[in-house]
Amino acid sequence: MSELLPKAYTPTESEHRWYAQWEGLKDFSSHPDPSRQPFSVLMPPPNVTGILHFGHVLNNTLQDIYTRWNRLLGNEACWFPGLDHAGIATQTKVEQELRKEGKTRYDLGRDAFVDRVWTWKEKYGGIIFKQMRALGVSPDWDRTLFTMDESASEAVRDVFITLFDEGLIYRGKRIINWSPVAQSALSDEEVLFREVKEHIYSLRYRLEDGSGALLVATVRPETIFADVAVAVNPSDERYKHLIGKNVIVPIGGQVIPIIADDYADPEFGTGCVKVTPAHDPNDFEIGIRHGLAMPSCINADATLNELAGEFSGLDRFVARRKVVAALEAAELMETIEDYTHNVGFSERGGEVVEPYLSDQWFVNMKPLAAPALKVVLDGEITFFPDHWVRVYEHWMTNIRDWCISRQLWWGHRIPVYYTEDGRFTAARSEAEARTKLGISENETLRQDPDVLDTWFSSWLWPMTTMGWRGPLNDNPTSAEASNALMSFYLPTNLLVTAPEIIFFWVARMIMATLKYKQTIPFKTVYFTSIIRDIKGRKLSKSLGNSPDPLDIVEKYGADAVRFTMIYLSPLGQDVRMEVDEKTQDIATMEIGRNFANKIWNAARFLQMKKADIAVDASIDATATLAESELTTADRWIRSRYNTTLRSVSQALENYKITDYGKLLYDFVWRDFCDWYVEVVKVQYANNDNAAYRTRLMNYAFGIFEGTLKVLHPVMPFLTEELWHGIYGMDETQTIDRSAPPIARPEHIEPTTEATFDLLQNIVESVRRQRNEMLIPPSERLPLHISSQPDLVSFFEEQRNIITTFCRVQELVIGSGLTKPSGSVADVVRGVEMFLLMEGKIDFAKERARLEKELTRLKTQVVSIEKKLGNEGFVRGAKPEVIENERQKLVDFGTTIIKIENNLASLQ
């Protein structure tokens, strides 16, 4: 017998100790084993600049649940971890450090700056992994990949080259998201939209022939210097006669045509749209359709250029104010109205993103998108929740080319080399480029200064995490090693990710893996919920409603946080947490902490009871209850345990994670702790035979051990601590590699569960009556139970339980018993309970209670009758559902009659 557990569970000490033990034992390591079923998960790589937030907590808890569950089932479970180099975010961090030193990256030069970033990465880059360890996650840390590692970098380079050679990567002008602060293109994912109150201006564009003017609405008057046309809808009768004529741009003075285009909305503003292709993505498309020029009037630093004349050199927002003033002075401003709309801001720099026409590198996505759409629509890849399939289909059907170049120094440099005469090619090295271009060593070559979008490395994640070095890898040893991993673990089983990156990452991984490995990257994608506060707001540092998860873990314990998160996260619905903005506490975490304490106290009680048994050499200390000596309560808990195991397995298989948590919570809290542990106390107290007591406690311990195992995926620290603490397991053993809990159908007894459920309801009814009548717990009262004849023997068997649980002085059990004088009555499924309370209660209040219950039951009867009278319900419902409703109608009717009789007799 192991040492007695401490009175209280101390999560922090246990968590530190067990995580060190797991890592020391290489418990999370995985290697291809043909004798085992593979299970693999790809960790969405956090940014190297990342700090743990509650989105990470939920995401990684879900991944860890499935990894630990499969490890427990005996599968070869591998969770592939990694870290993203996060180009713009990391470069911004290091440039901020340099500014404190009075320097810029240009003072260092490119090579020295990149070295500085590597130094920063080595110092700070692993912080989030340390934080994740505090959460208890179990990836195979030895397989950690950084997206700038040599193997990943080779794969990125080679994929670029092959796509370039196939003509799928090209250089061209497009409108992109531009960060004036970072002086770089941004991905859509790096742009945050916020509602902004601005103005919409109606300007007078005078007709060149002097016959009048068009009123043109715009929110960006500072861009009029790059206007090339005014568009009207071809069906707009107001302007049909003007199509083909010219107008003069106010202040700018350029003469531009009036064109017809369906983009112009007759219902918005004046119905006339100024077309500025270099500064608006929709205008750019108009410009392509009509073959318009695309001049730019805004510089890369968001100042106006020489096209703006006197406004040249001004910041775009300063220029806006001055342009508006000039328009008003020239009497070219018709109206200024308030206007609220969404504006994009750089996630890193915080400035307003500029739509910018620029030479960039693009991937032609349509050829890659078609097969990636097919595998999802055909069901080879399953989305949870499935409504994301429609979103995915819409995006893939209307996919646009991907801008992959970034004007940064940190990242994978684009492997394109240019000659002095403007020719270029993609190559693995300068020497290879010379060969491809057919030039000598004496001729100058220049490598493209830009780097690739961070997502260009991330879309190869399913392959690079398994050692893939790209399609041009000529190293047979590394190719053999990566092929062995991919043949075993790919496609992976599960990807858990946020829905907002379904396009930036999920779709692109499917495309890349299909192209280069002719297989899907994962079988299932689980999209996580959005985490909000109780007011419905997303957690945000700026709102003060996003506490540090590590502070919450420190206060409540990692297991409590993990359990609470999944308990509150139904598939496809947002998570709501009660955040105290002043104290930065999350009271909701009490759910998990109270649950952990409940489990701990139950374990400690069982351990203490077993330790109290005076065992001699004649007693088999390992024996458990024989089938013949099982009470109804023993069979009930065994049935509930196996039913729960089966239901939990089904919930996990169907990615109903909240169901998994609630099934365990209900079984552990109500069935095992509140009921069976209390039943064990009664059975233990009423049989002083040491051998029986030993068998009884071993039986309870057996149920409890299986429960710990099924709890382990979500509460790893507590379950490991108890598994060792009360079962005395060797320190080299871990619960996740022990024999798994398997549901045994032959031990599931629905009739026993239903009968014991009746007993529970009766006990709870009597307890409720005592509580409502303010009867002190110490005071015992007589109780009469009148049931159907076939249940009398069952209640006799439960006499000790009823007497103890209901605090009964004298228990009378029979059939057709009459209501004693001075008693209060209740009815549960046709069984009447008469609690003798003469002199103890106010009978007027009791009459009011019964009348209230009678009204409630009659309302239920009306509802059920209406449901059963609905042909649609009867036609569509399962037979057992209809039968259950009919049985409830019968039971409620019986109960109503008995309550009416009790009311009549309550004099």
Side-chain angles (χ1 to χ4, degrees), residues 624-643:
T624 188
L625 294 175
E627 194 69 26
S628 59
E629 59 183 337
L630 296 180
T631 64
T632 301
D634 298 328
R635 294 202 322 275
W636 166 78
I637 195 63
R638 183 177 67 180
S639 181
R640 288 292 306 122
Y641 167 72
N642 283 278
T643 298

Side-chain angles (χ1 to χ4, degrees), residues 54 62 88 91 118 124 139 186 343 353 408 428 636 651 714 735:
F54 275 99
L62 293 171
I88 193 168
Q91 179 158 321
W118 274 106
Y124 298 107
L186 301 175
V343 174
V353 170
L408 303 170
R428 302 175 81 184
W636 166 78
V714 67
I735 190 171

Side-chain angles (χ1 to χ4, degrees), residues 173-178 220 223 225-228 274-288 292-299 305 307 354-358:
K173 281 188 180 294
R174 291 289 188 278
I175 289 282
I176 47 92
N177 301 311
W178 182 261
R220 300 200 66 192
T223 64
F225 309 105
D227 287 358
V228 294
K274 71 190 230 22
V275 181
T276 319
H279 299 294
D280 184 275
N282 295 308
D283 291 4
F284 177 79
E285 297 298 333
I286 296 174
I288 292 291
L292 301 174
M294 299 188 179
S296 174
C297 67
I298 296 181
N299 295 314
N305 65 19
L307 284 183
E354 184 64 36
Y356 195 67
L357 184 63
S358 174

Side-chain angles (χ1 to χ4, degrees), residues 469-665:
R469 289 175 174 261
L472 305 178
N473 180 26
D474 54 9
N475 183 323
T477 302
S478 66
E480 183 180 352
S482 66
N483 286 337
L485 283 177
M486 284 190 279
S487 65
F488 188 74
Y489 292 117
L490 193 70
T492 59
N493 296 79
L494 176 64
L495 177 73
V496 179
T497 189
E500 55 261 34
I501 57 174
I502 183 174
F503 313 127
F504 306 113
W505 193 43
V506 177
R508 290 170 183 165
M509 283 193 289
I510 297 172
M511 296 180 208
T513 312
L514 282 171
K515 178 169 178 59
Y516 289 104
K517 287 299 166 185
Q518 296 75 53
T519 188
I520 55 175
F522 27 72
K523 299 171 185 175
T524 299
V525 182
Y526 183 100
F527 292 108
T528 54
S529 308
I530 296 173
I531 303 172
R532 301 183 184 276
D533 65 15
I534 209 70
K535 300 175 185 176
R537 303 174 302 173
K538 288 181 68 173
L539 299 195
S540 166
K541 290 292 183 186
S542 62
L543 292 175
N545 66 348
S546 183
D548 184 340
L550 293 185
D551 291 341
I552 303 301
V553 167
E554 181 71 22
K555 179 173 182 177
Y556 293 95
D559 288 342
V561 171
R562 287 165 62 111
F563 183 83
T564 303
M565 292 301 292
I566 68 134
Y567 189 84
L568 298 174
S569 304
L571 181 64
Q573 297 180 38
D574 293 348
V575 181
R576 296 293 179 102
M577 297 198 303
E578 190 176 345
V579 181
D580 187 316
E581 294 174 27
K582 185 176 181 180
T583 65
Q584 290 294 285
D585 190 16
I586 302 179
T588 319
M589 294 300 166
E590 290 285 356
I591 294 171
R593 181 163 66 181
N594 291 343
F595 187 47
N597 288 337
K598 189 82 168 178
I599 297 165
W600 182 268
N601 291 336
R604 194 166 183 271
F605 164 76
L606 292 175
Q607 188 187 40
M608 290 171 64
K609 278 298 179 186
K610 190 170 182 180
D612 285 346
I613 301 171
V615 179
D616 58 40
S618 65
I619 295 174
D620 182 355
T622 64
T624 188
L625 294 175
E627 194 69 26
S628 59
E629 59 183 337
L630 296 180
T631 64
T632 301
D634 298 328
R635 294 202 322 275
W636 166 78
I637 195 63
R638 183 177 67 180
S639 181
R640 288 292 306 122
Y641 167 72
N642 283 278
T643 298
T644 301
L645 280 183
R646 183 178 63 185
S647 299
V648 159
S649 297
Q650 291 170 348
L652 289 175
E653 287 167 9
N654 292 293
Y655 296 94
K656 295 181 177 180
I657 310 297
T658 296
D659 288 358
Y660 160 74
K662 290 186 175 179
L663 284 164
L664 288 175
Y665 186 91

Side-chain angles (χ1 to χ4, degrees), residues 19 37 219 369 373 390 407 685 738:
Y19 206 91
Q37 186 75 19
V219 293
L373 175 58
R390 295 190 298 277
Q407 290 63 51
S738 63

Side-chain angles (χ1 to χ4, degrees), residues 392-446:
Y392 178 85
E393 181 181 13
H394 176 77
W395 188 78
M396 295 292 272
T397 303
N398 300 280
I399 197 166
R400 302 177 69 171
D401 288 352
W402 174 17
C403 176
I404 56 171
S405 46
R406 299 290 182 269
Q407 290 63 51
L408 303 170
W409 286 357
W410 172 246
H412 298 102
R413 192 167 177 179
I414 292 175
V416 169
Y417 297 84
Y418 301 85
T419 64
E420 288 185 318
D421 61 5
R423 291 183 299 131
F424 56 86
T425 191
R428 302 175 81 184
S429 64
E430 185 176 316
E432 184 177 280
R434 291 181 185 280
T435 301
K436 280 188 166 185
L437 292 166
I439 64 173
S440 68
E441 292 185 7
N442 297 325
E443 295 183 66
T444 302
L445 271 186
R446 173 181 61 87

